[in-house]
Amino acid sequence: MPATSRSRARARPGDGALLRDEILRAATALLDEAGDESALTLRAVAARAGVTTPSVYLHFANKQDLVEAVCLAVWEDLGRRMREAGTGVEDPYQSMRRRGAAFVRFGLEHPVQYRLLMMRPRSAGQTGWTAADACLAYVGEAIQPCLDAGVLVGDPTRLTLQMLAALHGLVALYLAQPDYPWPDDVETMADEVTRMAGLGSALAGRLRGPGPAPSTSAFAAGFDALAERLHPPRHGAAEGGRPSGGGPLP
């Protein structure tokens, strides 16, 4: 018997859910150890869990189903952590920022699962609820309060995709291009990207419609006016309406 396997008593009737959990734990351990799905064969998972390969097939039709189940179990934690990040934050925009940063943190903490589920296409014939679907739902949940409050205007699905594109882009780049000159503070970077996507979507939703797009000078003037409204000059601010040091946008 391989060193990684262990003996297991025959399952009693009704123990199916328990066996499934044991198989998932074994598969998660193999995935984390290997760093990719190469070691995640049904035979290897059965040996790690101390069961026969046919026992694994009772719960998972193939390797892809097993991989998806392993990653979905982790993804449930993503939803919980995003909700917790926004708990107690009354302002919808600030809640969205915190939830977006939680998404980025989670992706970087689970690089193997993230690559498997969010950086490759859905396999042929794959049906049902997937981790990618869950990601889209969690981001939609994060921006919904902004829609309800009128901060964001437009089609909810389109706005959710825009925010997910920004968050996913940051995580994917961190994972695929670690040698980029990234700042040491990932938290701040994640917050800035979430703010950028949120502010951009809020503006774009109000500019859609007939007529030419605003010019660069019109954008600059409008942004200066908005910055002054959102961050009134403090005592000792330089002339011209900007706070000393050019206070940050929200």
Side-chain angles (χ1 to χ4, degrees):
M1 180 178 292
T4 55
S5 65
R6 57 186 175 82
S7 60
R8 183 182 186 279
R10 182 181 297 274
R12 297 188 304 273
D15 282 351
L18 179 60
L19 175 57
R20 186 178 190 277
D21 288 343
E22 290 184 8
I23 292 170
L24 286 175
R25 283 195 294 272
T28 299
L30 285 171
L31 190 63
D32 289 340
E33 290 169 8
D36 59 52
E37 61 179 309
S38 61
L40 208 63
T41 66
L42 298 188
R43 183 186 297 275
V45 171
R48 173 62 69 94
V51 301
T52 64
T53 302
S55 296
V56 179
Y57 277 110
L58 288 175
H59 298 275
F60 304 99
N62 50 49
K63 176 178 175 177
Q64 182 57 44
D65 283 353
L66 177 60
V67 170
E68 186 73 24
V70 168
C71 296
L72 267 175
V74 174
W75 244 244
E76 291 175 1
D77 191 45
L78 168 61
R80 178 186 61 78
R81 287 173 60 173
M82 288 182 70
R83 294 183 192 105
E84 287 179 352
T87 299
V89 183
E90 294 184 3
D91 185 274
Y93 178 69
Q94 303 303 331
S95 175
M96 180 183 68
R97 286 175 57 186
R98 296 192 183 191
R99 292 186 187 204
F103 179 101
V104 174
R105 283 196 305 272
F106 186 88
L108 297 180
E109 290 171 6
H110 299 85
V112 179
Q113 289 89 343
Y114 198 90
R115 287 191 184 96
L116 286 173
L117 296 174
M118 295 298 290
M119 298 175 69
R120 70 178 186 181
R122 190 183 301 239
S123 61
Q126 188 176 8
T127 60
W129 184 256
T130 68
D133 296 327
C135 269
L136 192 64
Y138 297 150
V139 174
E141 184 180 314
I143 72 167
Q144 186 60 50
C146 286
L147 283 161
D148 296 339
V151 177
L152 296 179
V153 179
D155 177 66
T157 300
R158 186 168 184 162
L159 290 167
T160 300
L161 286 169
Q162 290 171 356
M163 178 59 73
L164 180 57
L167 299 175
H168 169 70
L170 180 59
V171 175
L173 278 175
Y174 261 108
L175 296 179
Q177 304 296 338
D179 293 331
Y180 272 8
W182 298 110
D184 293 333
D185 187 357
V186 177
E187 290 286 325
T188 298
M189 186 69 172
D191 181 61
E192 289 173 350
V193 168
T194 306
R195 291 164 68 181
M196 178 181 67
L199 288 171
S201 293
L203 177 61
R206 289 161 173 77
L207 292 179
R208 289 193 185 99
S215 65
T216 300
S217 59
F219 267 125
F223 288 150
D224 284 344
L226 177 61
E228 290 175 6
R229 287 178 55 197
L230 295 177
H231 291 280
R234 297 187 297 270
H235 178 68
E239 249 183 85
R242 284 187 179 277
S244 300
L249 286 173

